Amino acid sequence: MIQIEEKIKEDFNHDAQHITGLITIGCGEALGVKYLSQIVSRFSKDNPLVKFEIITANSDTIKNNLDKGILDLGLLVEPVDITKYNFKKMAQKEQWGILTKSDSPLAKKSLIKPQDLINERLLMSNRTMVINEIENWFGKYYQNLNIAAYYNLGYNLVHFIKNDLGIAFCLESIDEIRDLTFVPLEPKLESRSVMVWKKDFILSPAMKKFIQYINDHHI
């Protein structure tokens, strides 16, 4: 409560000529962060007295913190329920695939089909809505999968993949890792990033201006 109270005071600390305040954004691990960072950077140069706090978490945690008032904005990764939020979907879509060691036979493939993963140990997202999407993609093969572990964020997966716990079923945004290779799925499975904020919520001057900035720019 103290944290929220201090944040509110800072958010509304402004004068008529200069917008100030703190905007707290929760971000998942997605390509949408790349485009969000460009918007934040341009906005910050135009409004140097506005500060940003960037917090990395999965979509479920971000939604929970939005509802509590800890976060102002959330960058969520579909599939996700956004019915109770105002939102702006990003144009860029992101592919799902596998992340595996570069010397693996699967790394030599151009595309991964469901049957290619039957005998592999897999690391899967622990989000229910994502699991449902993955189950639908695998179809009849899903019941025969060997799931070694579930994860909530992708960055730490690198160590477990390199130490042979399994192959990660993940988004392409975490593929730029030395000695690991990302291979997209066939049939294609894609997700989009969505910027959300609470409906019917009193916005600080900084938030009003930033949301207008988001709406005025193509992302």
Side-chain angles (χ1 to χ4, degrees):
M1 292 300 295
I2 294 174
Q3 179 185 356
I4 294 173
E5 183 179 353
E6 290 176 348
K7 184 181 184 309
I8 291 172
K9 289 179 180 178
E10 185 163 7
D11 288 346
F12 286 88
N13 178 26
H14 69 287
D15 58 44
Q17 293 182 331
H18 303 287
I19 298 293
T20 67
L22 173 68
I23 297 176
T24 305
I25 306 176
C27 300
E29 295 177 327
L31 285 180
V33 176
K34 173 182 177 181
Y35 303 101
L36 172 64
S37 66
Q38 295 169 359
I39 294 294
V40 169
S41 179
R42 291 199 293 265
F43 180 88
S44 182
K45 290 174 182 177
D46 293 338
N47 302 273
L49 298 181
V50 176
K51 295 182 290 184
F52 287 88
E53 182 177 9
I54 311 298
I55 297 173
T56 302
N58 67 9
S59 292
D60 295 333
T61 301
I62 290 170
K63 287 174 61 179
N64 185 46
N65 286 335
L66 277 169
D67 295 341
K68 291 179 178 178
I70 297 172
L71 296 175
D72 296 310
L73 291 157
L75 184 69
L76 309 178
V77 180
E78 296 180 329
V80 64
D81 182 6
I82 57 173
T83 54
K84 62 180 179 180
Y85 302 104
N86 292 315
F87 65 89
K88 182 176 178 66
K89 292 192 175 184
M90 294 193 170
Q92 179 70 35
K93 290 184 178 180
E94 183 171 2
Q95 291 192 79
W96 284 85
I98 63 159
L99 189 63
T100 184
K101 294 171 72 171
S102 296
D103 59 2
S104 162
L106 290 177
K108 307 301 186 292
K109 291 179 174 290
S110 59
L111 297 167
I112 294 294
K113 297 180 179 181
Q115 55 267 38
D116 294 330
L117 301 176
I118 293 301
N119 296 317
E120 303 293 339
R121 291 166 56 85
L122 300 177
L123 313 179
M124 292 283 196
S125 169
N126 64 357
R127 290 183 56 219
T128 301
M129 295 185 73
V130 173
I131 291 172
N132 291 339
E133 288 279 319
I134 293 172
E135 183 175 355
N136 183 63
W137 181 82
F138 273 103
K140 65 180 181 180
Y141 298 101
Y142 187 79
Q143 299 302 321
N144 297 318
L145 296 183
N146 180 7
I147 300 176
Y150 292 93
Y151 66 89
N152 68 335
L153 291 172
Y155 181 78
N156 287 332
L157 286 177
V158 171
H159 304 289
F160 293 97
I161 298 168
K162 289 185 175 182
N163 283 288
D164 298 316
L165 178 61
I167 294 166
F169 198 100
C170 61
L171 287 166
E172 63 181 299
S173 52
I174 61 171
D175 73 333
E176 297 180 1
I177 306 294
R178 181 184 297 178
D179 301 326
L180 298 182
T181 298
F182 178 86
V183 187
L185 305 179
E186 175 62 38
K188 185 182 293 185
L189 182 62
E190 295 180 317
S191 290
R192 193 192 302 266
S193 295
V194 188
M195 178 64 68
V196 302
W197 59 96
K198 291 178 69 174
K199 290 181 179 178
D200 304 320
F201 190 72
I202 299 175
L203 300 177
S204 69
M207 267 288 290
K208 285 182 181 179
K209 190 165 185 179
F210 185 64
I211 288 173
Q212 185 61 53
Y213 199 86
I214 291 173
N215 288 325
D216 289 345
H217 290 75
H218 178 71
I219 58 174

